[in-house]
Each structure stands twice: as structure tokens, then as C-alpha cells.
């Protein structure tokens, strides 16, 4: 029997990437990314409905983590490939004698590939200086000037 733990998502980055340092002995740096995906469907009333899911992406590969931290910004369209990992920890709920400890499971995507899907930034319009601007403004499409 074989098993496969593979995740591929395409979505938009919700906040600028956050670089952190591991608490363990080596103190290596990693990057956290928040990615939103959206699912749309028609409901029973034949109207479009949608739901946004937020995914936490952890990038531990040093070179990829540094690249993501510098190249990707909030609003970027990205493709993320990796594996799904879970972390379980205990958390106290309540205060004093009635405090209870509950187990909580946290899910994250450990990214192996992060690709920016944006087609590039649009170039800003250049301002035409001096008399050329007034000449261009007065000409019509057929070449006649006012």
C-alpha cells in the first residue's frame, strides 16, 4: 500500500511574508505565508455564492524562504506545492481551579515550490513634456488639428 501527501493551491497572498527564526538549536530562518483560495458555486436560488479559505504556508528551505520574503508581496498571485503537516499541542482553557487542558491540532502546508503567477507590473504612463503634449492633445484620430 502506498501513501501520498501532496498539496497544490493557487491563490492570493493575504499579507507580506513574515520571516522567523526557529527556536531549536540551529536557529535556522523560515518564512510564513498566508494564502487565500476561493470556491464559487450556484446555490438553490441560482445565485452565485463563494467561500474563501485561508492557508498557512511554511517555507523551511533556506534559499526558497529568502526568495519568497523578498520577491512576494501582499496581493501576489501564487502557486504553492508541498505537503500537509499537522502539529498538536495542549492549551489551557479557563483560569484557576476550573482550568482544563485541551488538545488542539494546527494544520499547515510545508512548501517545496512557490511560484509567482503575476504577469508583471504595468508600466507607469510617461508624461509627454512641452509643446509635444499640446500638439498631441489637439490632434484627432484622423490627423486634423483644432
Amino acid at each position: 500500500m502506498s501513501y501520498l501527501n501532496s498539496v497544490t493551491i493557487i491563490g492570493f497572498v493575504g499579507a507580506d511574508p513574515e520571516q522567523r527564526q526557529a527556536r531549536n538549536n540551529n536557529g535556522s530562518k523560515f518564512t510564513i505565508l498566508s494564502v487565500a483560495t476561493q470556491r464559487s458555486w450556484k446555490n438553490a436560488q441560482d445565485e452565485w455564492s463563494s467561500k474563501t479559505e485561508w492557508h498557512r504556508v511554511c517555507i523551511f528551505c533556506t534559499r526558497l524562504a529568502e526568495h519568497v520574503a523578498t520577491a512576494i508581496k501582499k496581493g501576489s498571485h501564487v502557486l504553492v506545492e508541498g505537503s500537509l503537516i499537522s502539529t498538536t499541542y495542549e492549551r489551557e482553557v479557563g483560569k484557576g481551579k476550573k482550568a482544563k487542558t485541551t488538545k488542539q491540532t494546527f494544520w499547515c502546508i510545508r512548501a517545496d515550490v512557490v511560484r509567482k503567477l503575476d504577469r508583471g507590473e504595468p508600466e507607469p504612463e510617461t508624461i509627454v513634456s512641452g509643446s509635444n503634449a499640446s500638439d498631441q492633445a489637439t490632434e484627432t484620430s484622423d490627423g486634423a488639428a483644432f
Side-chain angles (χ1 to χ4, degrees):
M1 184 182 288
S2 62
Y3 298 97
L4 176 65
N5 182 357
S6 179
V7 176
T8 302
I9 61 170
I10 296 176
F12 290 93
V13 177
D16 287 338
E18 181 181 337
Q19 244 185 343
R20 295 187 180 176
Q21 195 163 0
R23 292 185 214 166
N24 59 10
N25 296 339
N26 66 358
S28 60
K29 289 185 178 179
F30 63 97
T31 301
I32 303 291
L33 196 61
S34 178
V35 178
T37 58
Q38 187 174 19
R39 182 172 64 98
S40 299
W41 68 93
K42 278 196 173 183
N43 60 19
Q45 292 78 29
D46 206 32
E47 297 171 347
W48 283 101
S49 298
S50 64
K51 180 171 174 59
T52 301
E53 297 285 343
W54 287 94
H55 309 276
R56 182 180 174 104
V57 179
C58 298
I59 305 153
F60 293 107
C61 177
T62 308
R63 290 182 62 199
L64 181 60
E66 289 175 5
H67 175 71
V68 166
T70 57
I72 294 182
K73 302 293 178 210
K74 178 180 178 180
S76 296
H77 195 206
V78 294
L79 174 135
V80 176
E81 293 178 352
S83 56
L84 191 61
I85 59 171
S86 65
T87 305
T88 303
Y89 61 94
E90 292 186 4
R91 179 178 176 189
E92 280 194 24
V93 178
K95 295 181 181 179
K97 294 180 181 179
K98 294 186 179 184
K100 293 182 180 180
T101 303
T102 60
K103 285 188 177 182
Q104 298 208 338
T105 302
F106 170 78
W107 293 91
C108 176
I109 298 171
R110 180 176 294 183
D112 298 322
V113 175
V114 176
R115 289 192 187 120
K116 192 171 180 180
L117 299 178
D118 295 336
R119 297 226 179 234
E121 301 298 321
E123 293 184 23
E125 294 181 25
T126 57
I127 299 173
V128 182
S129 62
S131 62
N132 290 343
S134 61
D135 292 344
Q136 289 177 355
T138 57
E139 285 187 1
T140 61
S141 61
D142 61 359
F146 290 109

